[in-house]
Amino acid sequence: MKRIVVVGASAAGLAAAETLRREGYDGTLTLVGDEPHPPYDRPPLSKQVLSGQWGADRAALRTPEDLAALDLDLRLGVAAAGLDPAGRLVRLADGSTVPYDRLLIATGVWPRRLPGDGVAHVLRTLDDALALRDRIGPGRRLVVVGAGFLGAEAAAVASKLGAQVTLLEPAPVPLARAVGLEVGQALARAHRERGVKLRCGVTVTEVTEDGVRLADGEVVEGDEILIAIGSLPNTGWLAGSGLAVDDGVVCDEYCQAAWGSPRPKAGGVYAAGDVARWYNPLFGTSMRIEHRTNAAEQGMAAARNLLAAPGARTPFTPVPYFWSDQYDMKIQAYGYLRGHDEVAVVEGDLAEDRFLAAYRSGDRITAALAVGMPAKVVRQWRQVIAVRAAWHDAVPNRP
């Protein structure tokens, strides 16, 4: 194996490249990134960078010296445009091609957008964050469409900076499908108590010159619009390659990419990070996780399996983890919240913005989410989830 290509130069791709070198791979290692910036961290974009606490340079994941030590064939500012698995070639947008013996896909996601004639921001890249930062401040009206974690974090930052913030969400409460009604109501109250105008149960249909238009025709006016309605896996460049794509690059438990039918006479393709939808044996389901911790962990796991002999590979079975900072609230969660059957507050009080909620799927505890709780308390629940503890054992006095 003389040539490995990693497509995607964010957290997952960088973690993969570092792991390959750490595991002893000394051949040509190409890292392709569609942005001109060296690898940087994305979670601070909606928090420290947007607020102005950090400059752009502080978001860098590694120093120039660290990157140089990896001896990379670094291709920045050029996107992948196609994949030829038979010829084992990645086609780039500048017309060049990169050959590979093994390929690791870590191209992340693209933000969803809304139609219309107006101008709206998204918040995915460093340039996005800097552009929005320059446009919010005292007296400015910001309309945020989507009250997920990204939209909520941006709304919190803008409110602290003195902007008049309107947060629009189609669900009954923020994050209703993921965290449940009661927890979502607690998060909603936190926004309203801090001056954000939160409107739930409304659907935005388009961006106008003055703001956004709702499904009933009402226009919500704003000086700046931020669209935070989720993301789409960046898999368009894989069209016609034969790779199985279904809400991401479909992978097995080893992060190896699956092929459609008929399968081409090629292999050695893995995926990691936001773009990968892999089978997690711990939860018995396929999942695609858009969180920073998972990106790095999966990048490392995929790289190790890419190098290993087939019989020596290790399934990637994490307990997913994420965090969010909103106002003075620290939100942390372990596990897989979606599709839960029940949620129970087992510590603290929702009304005081200090609580821990446990989530049940079937007869097992599958997730825990905490607000304002010590990290060591939250970490204890990771092990409870990892051992697939029974609900009635982990959550006393529940059926």
Side-chain angles (χ1 to χ4, degrees), residues 81-136:
L83 175 63
D84 175 8
R88 293 183 181 261
L89 292 172
V90 175
R91 295 192 297 273
L92 303 183
D94 62 5
S96 64
T97 59
V98 184
Y100 67 87
D101 297 314
R102 295 286 187 273
L103 171 67
L104 198 150
I105 297 168
T107 43
V109 294
W110 292 113
R112 293 179 182 268
R113 298 177 183 266
L114 286 172
D117 298 327
V119 176
H121 298 268
V122 292
L123 191 48
R124 174 65 183 171
T125 69
L126 180 59
D127 292 339
D128 292 337
L130 296 175
L132 181 58
R133 185 177 75 182
D134 291 342
R135 305 291 297 178
I136 56 177

Side-chain angles (χ1 to χ4, degrees), residues 59-362:
L61 283 169
R62 299 292 182 269
T63 66
E65 293 76 17
D66 290 335
L67 288 177
L70 293 174
D71 189 24
L72 299 172
D73 170 25
L74 192 58
R75 312 284 187 99
L76 296 178
V78 57
L83 175 63
D84 175 8
R88 293 183 181 261
L89 292 172
V90 175
R91 295 192 297 273
L92 303 183
D94 62 5
S96 64
T97 59
V98 184
Y100 67 87
D101 297 314
R102 295 286 187 273
L103 171 67
L104 198 150
I105 297 168
T107 43
V109 294
W110 292 113
R112 293 179 182 268
R113 298 177 183 266
L114 286 172
D117 298 327
V119 176
H121 298 268
V122 292
L123 191 48
R124 174 65 183 171
T125 69
L126 180 59
D127 292 339
D128 292 337
L130 296 175
L132 181 58
R133 185 177 75 182
D134 291 342
R135 305 291 297 178
I136 56 177
R140 299 288 292 175
R141 299 172 302 168
L142 174 67
V143 177
V144 181
V145 183
F149 285 109
L150 180 66
E153 289 174 354
V157 167
S159 178
K160 280 181 153 182
L161 292 175
Q164 301 171 22
V165 181
T166 300
L167 184 56
L168 304 176
E169 168 59 41
V173 296
L175 297 162
R177 288 197 306 166
V179 305
L181 185 61
E182 288 185 307
V183 175
Q185 288 171 338
L187 298 178
R189 185 185 65 253
H191 287 294
R192 292 184 172 122
E193 288 177 348
R194 291 163 175 84
V196 171
K197 186 177 182 181
L198 172 63
R199 296 179 60 181
C200 294
V202 295
T203 300
V204 177
T205 58
E206 64 175 334
V207 180
T208 71
E209 293 183 356
D210 301 317
V212 297
R213 190 181 310 280
L214 305 184
D216 63 3
E218 177 189 355
V219 173
V220 179
E221 295 186 349
D223 301 311
E224 304 296 331
I225 311 300
L226 172 62
I227 307 301
I229 55 174
S231 305
L232 294 169
N234 182 8
T235 56
W237 66 283
L238 298 170
S241 68
L243 281 177
V245 174
D246 181 9
D247 184 35
V249 177
V250 179
C251 300
D252 62 15
E253 64 267 38
Y254 305 107
C255 304
Q256 183 167 12
W259 297 92
S261 182
R263 176 173 175 163
K265 293 181 179 179
V269 180
Y270 288 73
D274 297 3
V275 75
R277 186 167 73 83
W278 91 104
Y279 179 77
N280 186 336
L282 180 62
F283 294 87
T285 188
S286 291
M287 56 179 64
R288 187 174 65 80
I289 304 294
E290 294 185 24
H291 297 306
R292 169 68 172 82
T293 303
N294 183 79
E297 291 178 350
Q298 194 168 26
M300 291 187 286
R304 286 191 290 265
N305 284 334
L306 181 152
L307 291 176
R313 297 182 302 173
T314 302
F316 181 56
T317 59
V319 175
Y321 169 76
F322 71 85
W323 77 95
S324 178
D325 294 319
Q326 299 175 28
Y327 310 105
D328 56 352
M329 299 189 307
K330 182 74 172 184
I331 303 169
Q332 302 177 76
Y334 282 102
Y336 194 60
L337 286 83
R338 292 190 178 275
H340 64 266
D341 299 313
E342 182 181 358
V343 56
V345 175
V346 295
E347 295 189 49
D349 189 336
L350 288 169
E352 297 178 359
D353 293 339
R354 185 179 183 279
F355 62 88
L356 188 144
Y359 293 78
R360 174 180 67 82
S361 294

Side-chain angles (χ1 to χ4, degrees), residues 319 333-335 344-347 356-359 365-370 373-391 393-396:
V319 175
Y334 282 102
V345 175
V346 295
E347 295 189 49
L356 188 144
Y359 293 78
I365 180 168
T366 53
L369 180 144
M373 300 294 286
K376 64 179 181 180
V377 173
V378 188
R379 282 196 299 268
Q380 292 171 357
W381 286 83
R382 181 193 181 282
Q383 183 61 22
V384 174
I385 298 164
V387 299
R388 303 289 290 157
W391 177 254
D393 291 335
V395 183

